[in-house]
């Protein structure tokens, strides 16, 4: 199996790097500036699981040719359209596209561009960032990636992908309920990001503030109500765990959206919060907390992009 990893940032660089370290056939599709940096210093991973530097196989859009068996799509949502144009030459009739973007809007965009069959489900959990030297820094032990056919079938191609992904230095698993897991991930991202960004603090700091835990719990209830109306309902176990995590008084947890906000860079407000608000409106679900968070983030976003 040949895999193309679109993007060599904190997510694509980490999982793609570990796959390459394990001897899998992985090529990174990157922009010229990132290619030059990687050619000069290699792909550097700093991790509690062990540091590693490799010389990755790289390609830029103008040199891309031939179809790949799988494409791990790891760009930010606001870079999606350009990424789809860049990778189009690599998508063949049997290519699986595994998106790990936030939200669910990208699933419809991919299906419209390349066909519904080309889109497989994928959800990953990792806390990592790129430091000022361009290195990928993993901040804790979490490194989970799940994948599966959107309809839950265990197809020969997804079994082949499972063999490719396993035993590569991270936790990989084939899921027969990947669409539900993708919706659950969105619930968690919207809840975590909404709390952090509106209240400007960690989960623990918000939970310790007057009525902070109540705010977190009500926001989660609101998000779950939207997903139950327009998507795939989360499991009861997930809701219990999510509520505990989003109201934990000792938690230092923050979302990547909040960390981007602190850095003063563009954020995925539309994809993580705005799309939920719009889906709720179309379904007739009231979302006063989500709407307030979205307005708040749009003020920030417009200031950054001005």
């Amino acid at each position: 199996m040949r895999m193309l990893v679109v993007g060599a940032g904190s997510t694509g660089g980490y999982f793609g790097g570990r796959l390459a370290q394990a001897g899998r056939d992985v090529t990174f599709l990157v922009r010229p500036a990132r290619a030059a940096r990687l050619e000069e210093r290699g792909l550097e991973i700093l991790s509690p699981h062990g540091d590693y530097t490799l010389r990755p196989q790289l390609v830029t859009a103008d040199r891309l040719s031939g179809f790949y068996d799988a494409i791990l799509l790891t760009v930010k949502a606001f870079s999606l359209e350009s990424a789809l144009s860049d990778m189009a030459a690599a998508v063949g009739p049997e290519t699986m596209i595994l998106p790990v973007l936030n939200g669910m809007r990208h699933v419809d965009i991919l299906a419209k561009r390349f066909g519904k069959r080309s889109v497989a489900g994928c959800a990953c959990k990792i806390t990592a960032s790129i430091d000022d030297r361009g290195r990928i820094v993993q901040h804790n032990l979490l490194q989970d990636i799940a994948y599966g056919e959107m309809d839950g079938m265990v197809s020969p191609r997804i079994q082949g992908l499972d063999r490719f992904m396993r035993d590569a230095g991270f936790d990989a698993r084939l899921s027969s309920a990947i669409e539900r897991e993708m919706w659950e991930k969105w619930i968690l991202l919207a809840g975590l990001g909404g709390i952090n960004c509106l209240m400007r603090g960690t989960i623990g700091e918000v939970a310790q503030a007057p009525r902070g835990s109540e705010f977190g719990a009500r926001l989660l209830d609101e998000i779950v109500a939207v997903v139950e109306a327009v998507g795939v309902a989360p499991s009861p176990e997930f809701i219990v765990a999510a509520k505990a995590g989003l109201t934990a008084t000792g938690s230092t947890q923050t979302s990547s959206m909040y960390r981007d906000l602190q850095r003063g860079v563009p954020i995925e407000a539309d994809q993580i919060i705005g799309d939920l608000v719009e889906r709720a409106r179309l379904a007739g679900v009231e979302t006063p907390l989500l709407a307030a968070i979205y307005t708040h983030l749009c003020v920030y976003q417009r200031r950054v992009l001005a």
Side-chain angles (χ1 to χ4, degrees):
M1 177 169 282
R2 299 173 64 231
M3 174 177 280
L4 181 70
V5 179
V6 182
S10 57
T11 301
Y14 185 82
F15 287 108
R18 289 301 190 196
L19 285 165
Q21 182 185 6
R24 313 298 154 81
D25 189 345
V26 174
T27 299
F28 293 88
L29 174 61
V30 291
R31 296 294 173 84
R34 182 67 169 153
R37 166 65 180 73
L38 293 172
E39 286 171 352
E40 177 188 355
R41 303 193 57 169
L43 180 65
E44 300 172 276
I45 296 173
L46 305 181
S47 166
H49 296 283
D51 300 344
Y52 185 69
T53 300
L54 72 149
R55 297 289 174 181
Q57 297 184 80
L58 304 172
V59 67
T60 51
D62 59 318
R63 297 184 177 183
L64 189 62
S65 64
F67 300 149
Y68 285 77
D69 301 297
I71 296 176
L72 186 63
L73 180 59
T74 69
V75 298
K76 290 282 190 180
F78 40 74
S79 300
L80 179 59
E81 290 297 335
S82 60
L84 298 189
S85 297
D86 288 346
M87 73 185 212
V91 182
E94 300 300 319
T95 301
M96 289 178 288
I97 302 174
L98 303 156
V100 292
L101 286 77
N102 295 327
M104 291 293 287
R105 180 186 293 175
H106 61 277
V107 175
D108 295 333
I109 294 172
L110 285 166
K112 183 177 180 180
R113 177 74 179 264
F114 299 111
K116 188 175 181 180
R117 187 178 182 278
S118 69
V119 184
C122 191
C124 73
K125 298 173 184 176
I126 186 169
T127 304
S129 61
I130 300 288
D131 69 10
D132 56 5
R133 294 173 55 184
R135 302 176 300 181
I136 297 165
V137 181
Q138 185 184 15
H139 300 290
N140 55 37
L141 292 171
L142 185 65
Q143 49 175 10
D144 176 87
I145 188 165
Y147 38 82
E149 298 285 8
M150 293 293 282
D151 61 5
M153 295 293 291
V154 182
S155 64
R157 70 173 190 171
I158 210 69
Q159 290 177 311
L161 177 72
D162 189 41
R163 291 190 294 270
F164 181 86
M165 298 291 279
R166 286 187 179 274
D167 302 317
F170 51 80
D171 299 319
R173 57 190 175 85
L174 176 58
S175 171
S176 60
I178 193 63
E179 186 175 8
R180 190 197 71 204
E181 291 197 42
M182 292 167 74
W183 282 99
E184 288 177 344
K185 180 182 177 182
W186 192 7
I187 291 170
L188 206 55
L189 285 172
L192 180 61
I195 293 169
N196 295 152
C197 293
L198 184 64
M199 298 302 180
R200 294 296 201 273
T202 66
I203 290 298
E205 289 171 335
V206 175
Q208 293 175 48
R211 302 188 69 178
S213 291
E214 181 182 341
F215 165 75
R218 286 190 176 184
L219 176 61
L220 179 63
D221 289 343
E222 196 172 281
I223 297 167
V224 169
V226 178
V227 172
E228 287 177 340
V230 305
V232 179
S235 69
E237 297 79 11
F238 169 83
I239 295 174
V240 171
K243 187 162 291 188
L246 294 177
T247 58
T249 55
S251 174
T252 60
Q253 192 171 18
T254 59
S255 69
S256 60
M257 185 165 66
Y258 177 57
R259 294 191 292 272
D260 286 343
L261 185 147
Q262 288 183 305
R263 291 169 52 216
V265 299
I267 58 176
E268 294 181 311
D270 291 335
Q271 292 77 18
I272 296 176
I273 304 295
D275 193 27
L276 272 177
V277 172
E278 178 60 14
R279 290 176 192 244
R281 184 188 68 80
L282 294 173
V285 178
E286 293 293 324
T287 56
L289 296 179
L290 277 171
I293 292 166
Y294 184 52
T295 300
H296 177 70
L297 295 180
C298 285
V299 172
Y300 164 84
Q301 187 87 312
R302 290 174 182 176
R303 186 180 299 152
V304 169
L305 297 176

